[in-house]
């Protein structure tokens, strides 16, 4: 067996096969079921019609998936630990699982590994689910075509809407807005509905869900359930620490659910202890409190350990039983049935566009402190620090702290995208790309969001206590104590004035800018240029 470059590609197998269990090594293999690291659902369509006597499962740990962006150690560990547990579960059913384990001889890419194995096993057919990354999807299809093995790509039942359904909804619309797509899905799947009307008569409780904690802080916070690494996960953690020692992030706090059972327990824990307050505090931030009332379920759902439909049904059941208010249930369901489905639809709908998007013509490099947290802007230090420690930040930290700074500073959105894909345990292309390039960086020119998400430091001050311990003042635009985010906010409006002056939702902000006299505008431009230069150095 060779890797196509003349090197050996021995098949290492993990976990070790049970005694007496032999993989079928002849041409009798009918279907080879290809399972990627984010497709860990034994009830998925990939297994429809599976016959243990005739079919085999193929999984591979390859370096490329940990290195094509400079992945956080915890992100690599979540994927590998979940894959190994999943493979062990399938083997426990007596299924033939051909697992290429990471090791000294690990294949460099999925394409290398698959090519080598198809040449030996010659299955009649490869079956897989649509990949979560267009790059991987294209690579696998190309290998199968080259090898002359037919490939069947099956619909992913995890999601409510298929990419085709989204395209049908989106094509021909003048503008796409989450709210209309979300309402369609609620009606079609009868979620939080009373007949043809939304439960309680109101579709959306967004306005009830924007509170900050106020000066007194969040008070008692229920700690989320932890999942101490078992022997399999510890082995993975050691492997990642050894093989990816120079990658960003820590492994010391690793406690993510990596099995379907753990993911279900995490869901139950969230529903019992944090869901009732989720809606109210979902936009709030607090120093040293990474989880607040958030679910911590995104990685488990994205790896398909936890069905999204199960989550939505469980949350709706809590509302119907009178145990959570409608604002909390609707606010949470909107994130999953709404945003999560919407971004996936958008991802595939404009799959060829994302990689070239840069509507605001932004070219500054990503500041080095994004990889270290070493900055005196306290909001960024907090959000990046917890990202490096846990591989986690909640939505408002991603959108209105790290994303906001990069947008205002004019950082190249493709560099911003690579950072987000690298540093979060839940990062998979289909969900990270539209969130970063569309929602956060406005690189798509407004396809996803009707306006750029911009704000001054005063927004961060309202939503958190970060500013209280910061050396800068959120309400100051100029001078030594001026908040860099406030300076960059006004400078963003100055730089993009012509583009947004007639925008229905930004026009007012531009008119406020127009009140500044020429000397103030010059001073603003000079101070913003210094901030950008310092951040790039
Ligand atoms: P909660 O805040 O408790 O929300 C509940 C669930 O809703 C999440 O688990 C998630 O599945 C879903 N959800 C909420 N918002 C979104 C959204 N905008 N898009 C899709 N699903 C959503 N989410 C990812 O899963 N992977 C990513 O790579 C990712 N990258 C992001 C990049 C940027 C710039 C931004 C602004 C957001 C990104 N998000 C991403 C969305 C969101 O930040 C995370 O889903 C959320 O923080 C995960 O934490 P949680 O499970 O505690 O979620
Ligand atoms: Fe961030 Fe500005 Fe607040 Fe400091 S003052 S924490 S830089 S928003």
């Amino acid at each position: 067996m060779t890797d196509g470059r003349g090197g050996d590609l021995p098949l290492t197998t993990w976990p070790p096969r049970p005694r007496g269990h032999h993989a079928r090594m002849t041409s009798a293999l009918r279907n080879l079921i290809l399972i990627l690291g984010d497709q860990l659902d034994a009830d998925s369509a990939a297994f429809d019609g599976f016959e243990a006597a005739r079919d085999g499962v193929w999984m591979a740990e390859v370096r490329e998936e940990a290195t094509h962006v400079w992945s956080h150690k915890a992100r690599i560990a979540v994927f590998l630990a979940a894959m190994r547990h999943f493979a062990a579960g399938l083997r426990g059913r007596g299924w033939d699982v051909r697992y290429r384990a990471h090791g000294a001889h690990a294949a460099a890419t999925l394409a290398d590994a698959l090519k080598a194995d198809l040449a030996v096993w010659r299955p009649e057919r490869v079956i897989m689910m649509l990949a979560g990354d267009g790059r991987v999807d294209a690579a696998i299809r190309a290998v199968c075509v080259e090898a002359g093995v037919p490939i069947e790509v099956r619909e992913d039942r995890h999601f409510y809407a298929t990419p085709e359904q989204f395209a049908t909804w989106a094509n021909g619309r003048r503008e796409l807005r989450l709210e209309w797509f979300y309402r369609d899905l609620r009606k079609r799947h009868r979620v939080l509905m009373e007949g043809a009307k939304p439960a309680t008569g109101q579709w959306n409780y967004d306005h009830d869900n924007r509170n900050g904690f106020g000066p007194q802080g969040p008070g008692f916070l229920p700690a989320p359930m932890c999942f101490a690494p078992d022997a399999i996960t510890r082995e993975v953690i050691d492997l990642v620490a050894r093989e990816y020692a120079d990658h960003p992030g820590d492994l010391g706090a690793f406690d993510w659910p990596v099995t379907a059972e753990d993911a279900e327990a995490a869901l139950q824990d969230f529903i019992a202890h944090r869901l009732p307050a989720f809606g109210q505090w979902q936009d709030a931030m607090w120093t040293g409190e990474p989880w607040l009332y958030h679910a911590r379920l995104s990685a488990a759902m994205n790896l398909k350990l936890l069905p999204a439909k199960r989550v939505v049904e469980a949350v709706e059941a809590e509302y119907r039983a009178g145990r959570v208010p409608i604002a909390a249930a609707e606010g949470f369901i909107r994130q999953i049935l709404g945003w999560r489905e919407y971004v996936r639809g958008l991802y595939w709908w404009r799959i060829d566009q994302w990689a070239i998007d840069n509507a605001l013509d932004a070219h500054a490099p990503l500041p080095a402190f994004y990889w270290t947290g070493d900055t005196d802007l306290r909001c960024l230090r907090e959000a990046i620090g917890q990202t490096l420690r846990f591989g986690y930040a909640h939505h408002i930290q991603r959108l209105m702290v790290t994303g906001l700074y990069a947008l205002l500073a004019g950082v190249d959105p493709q560099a911003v995208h690579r950072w987000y894909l690298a540093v979060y345990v839940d990062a998979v292309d289909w969900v990270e790309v539209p969130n970063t390039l569309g929602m956060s960086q406005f690189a798509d020119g407004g396809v996803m969001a009707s306006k750029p998400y911009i704000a001054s430091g005063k927004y961060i001050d309202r939503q958190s206590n970060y500013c209280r311990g910061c050396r800068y003042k959120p309400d100051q635009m100029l001078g030594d104590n001026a908040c860099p985010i406030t300076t960059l906010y006004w400078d963003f409006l100055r730089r993009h004035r012509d583009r947004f002056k007639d925008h229905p939702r930004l026009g007012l902000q531009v008119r406020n800018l127009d009140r500044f006299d020429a000397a103030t505008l010059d001073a603003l431009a000079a101070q913003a240029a210094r901030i950008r230069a310092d951040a790039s150095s």
Side-chain angles (χ1 to χ4, degrees):
M1 193 185 308
T2 72
D3 63 1
R5 295 164 305 172
D8 283 340
L9 272 185
L11 175 73
T12 47
T13 177
W14 198 100
R17 291 196 175 89
R19 197 183 289 275
H21 182 290
H22 300 290
R24 206 183 303 97
M25 299 298 283
T26 70
S27 58
L29 187 62
R30 183 183 64 157
N31 295 329
L32 187 64
I33 314 299
L34 194 153
I35 298 296
L36 299 170
D38 64 342
Q39 300 181 335
L40 308 179
D41 175 7
D43 294 323
S44 81
F47 294 108
D48 287 355
F50 186 85
E51 286 182 32
R54 304 169 72 194
D55 302 329
V57 179
W58 187 87
M59 299 176 72
E61 300 174 358
V62 295
R63 274 192 179 276
E64 183 188 35
E65 296 312 305
T67 55
H68 82 283
V69 291
W70 196 34
S71 281
H72 192 300
K73 294 187 188 84
R75 177 173 182 256
I76 306 172
V78 163
F79 275 82
L80 297 189
M83 286 170 70
R84 290 183 175 202
H85 281 93
F86 185 73
L90 297 185
R91 286 244 171 94
R93 299 177 176 196
W95 292 7
D96 174 8
V97 181
R98 295 151 185 231
Y99 193 102
R100 276 184 171 272
H102 206 298
H105 299 288
T109 68
L110 276 172
D112 284 347
L114 184 61
K115 193 167 157 182
D117 293 345
L118 288 182
V120 174
W121 296 327
R122 306 292 317 160
E124 289 171 24
R125 192 165 57 148
V126 166
I127 294 177
M128 75 161 188
M129 310 278 291
L130 180 63
D133 184 328
R135 169 186 60 87
V136 172
D137 182 67
I140 291 171
R141 288 176 196 256
V143 168
C144 291
V145 169
E146 195 186 322
V149 178
I151 177 166
E152 181 186 330
V153 178
R154 293 186 176 168
E155 188 183 305
D156 194 342
R157 289 195 292 253
H158 175 91
F159 295 98
Y160 285 86
T162 64
E164 293 73 26
Q165 284 166 345
F166 183 89
T168 304
W169 175 83
N171 286 337
R173 281 182 189 251
R174 208 166 48 83
E175 57 170 25
L176 307 182
R177 290 298 161 247
L178 162 82
E179 189 63 24
W180 310 121
F181 184 65
Y182 166 60
R183 290 185 190 184
D184 269 13
L185 286 186
R186 272 189 51 191
K187 283 187 233 161
R188 189 174 323 157
H189 295 279
R190 313 224 38 77
V191 175
L192 287 180
M193 298 295 292
E194 305 289 356
K197 296 220 164 69
T200 73
Q202 190 176 324
W203 285 104
N204 186 312
Y205 287 79
D206 209 15
H207 281 288
D208 299 354
N209 290 344
R210 290 181 179 165
N211 296 356
F213 289 115
Q216 75 286 358
F220 169 77
L221 287 168
M225 185 179 271
C226 298
F227 297 91
D230 64 5
I232 294 176
T233 303
R234 281 199 304 275
E235 199 179 320
V236 164
I237 288 174
D238 290 347
L239 181 152
V240 173
R242 196 175 58 244
E243 296 282 328
Y244 299 102
D246 62 337
H247 279 232
D250 291 345
L251 287 163
F254 189 97
D255 70 347
W256 293 102
V258 291
T259 65
E261 294 72 28
D262 287 355
E264 174 64 25
L267 170 65
Q268 293 305 331
D269 173 63
F270 167 66
I271 284 177
H273 303 297
R274 300 192 301 287
L275 173 63
F278 170 83
Q280 194 181 356
W281 307 119
Q282 75 186 74
D283 284 7
M285 302 175 278
W286 202 259
T287 304
E289 297 292 353
W291 320 118
L292 298 169
Y293 291 97
H294 291 274
R296 283 181 25 123
L297 292 174
S298 48
M301 273 191 280
N302 295 350
L303 268 56
K304 316 293 160 54
L305 300 173
L306 184 61
K309 291 171 186 163
R310 158 86 193 117
V311 177
V312 167
E313 280 162 20
V315 170
E316 177 164 6
E318 287 299 292
Y319 162 68
R320 301 270 178 208
R323 285 190 289 266
V324 298
I326 182 70
E330 190 282 322
F332 190 78
I333 285 174
R334 181 159 19 98
Q335 307 308 312
I336 294 175
L337 183 65
W339 282 110
R340 194 165 178 270
E341 295 288 328
Y342 183 65
V343 299
R344 180 168 182 262
L346 273 174
Y347 176 76
W348 288 111
W349 189 58
R350 57 193 308 283
I351 184 72
D352 298 330
Q353 290 298 310
W354 296 111
I356 51 172
D357 277 342
N358 192 351
L360 297 179
D361 202 21
H363 298 285
L366 186 76
F369 63 70
Y370 271 69
W371 299 106
T372 62
D374 186 10
T375 167
D376 60 3
L377 281 76
R378 190 158 185 243
C379 50
L380 283 163
R381 196 167 70 228
E382 278 294 317
I384 296 170
Q386 79 169 61
T387 295
L388 294 173
R389 178 137 191 256
F390 302 108
Y392 178 88
H394 72 66
H395 186 72
I396 292 301
Q397 293 174 305
R398 297 187 207 196
L399 184 65
M400 299 308 289
V401 179
T402 43
L404 174 66
Y405 183 89
L407 172 67
L408 297 179
V411 176
D412 174 357
Q414 301 295 338
V416 182
H417 143 62
R418 287 191 292 277
W419 183 79
Y420 277 99
L421 188 59
V423 296
Y424 290 110
V425 291
D426 56 28
V428 185
D429 222 47
W430 65 265
V431 53
E432 179 277 329
V433 161
N435 268 303
T436 304
L437 290 167
M439 188 190 297
S440 162
Q441 300 300 299
F442 203 71
D444 62 357
V447 176
M448 180 164 173
S450 56
K451 69 174 186 66
Y453 279 90
I454 55 168
S456 73
K458 286 200 269 186
Y459 170 85
I460 294 175
D461 193 27
R462 235 182 3 258
Q463 296 301 123
S464 75
N465 67 341
Y466 295 154
C467 302
R468 271 174 255 168
C470 184
R471 84 166 208 67
Y472 301 110
K473 301 283 170 254
D475 55 353
Q476 291 184 21
M477 179 183 82
L478 293 175
D480 286 348
N481 295 327
C483 164
I485 291 181
T486 300
T487 310
L488 291 173
Y489 161 77
W490 287 109
D491 193 57
F492 178 94
L493 289 173
R494 184 191 65 79
R495 289 189 295 121
H496 297 292
R497 183 185 177 284
D498 290 345
R499 179 175 190 126
F500 294 120
K501 69 179 185 332
D502 300 320
H503 191 289
R505 295 175 65 201
L506 282 185
L508 181 66
Q509 296 177 58
V510 174
R511 284 195 290 286
N512 287 335
L513 174 87
D514 287 346
R515 298 208 183 103
F516 296 162
D517 60 26
T520 306
L521 287 174
D522 286 350
L524 171 64
Q527 181 144 344
R530 279 196 300 279
I531 294 169
R532 282 197 293 274
D534 285 353
S536 305
S537 63

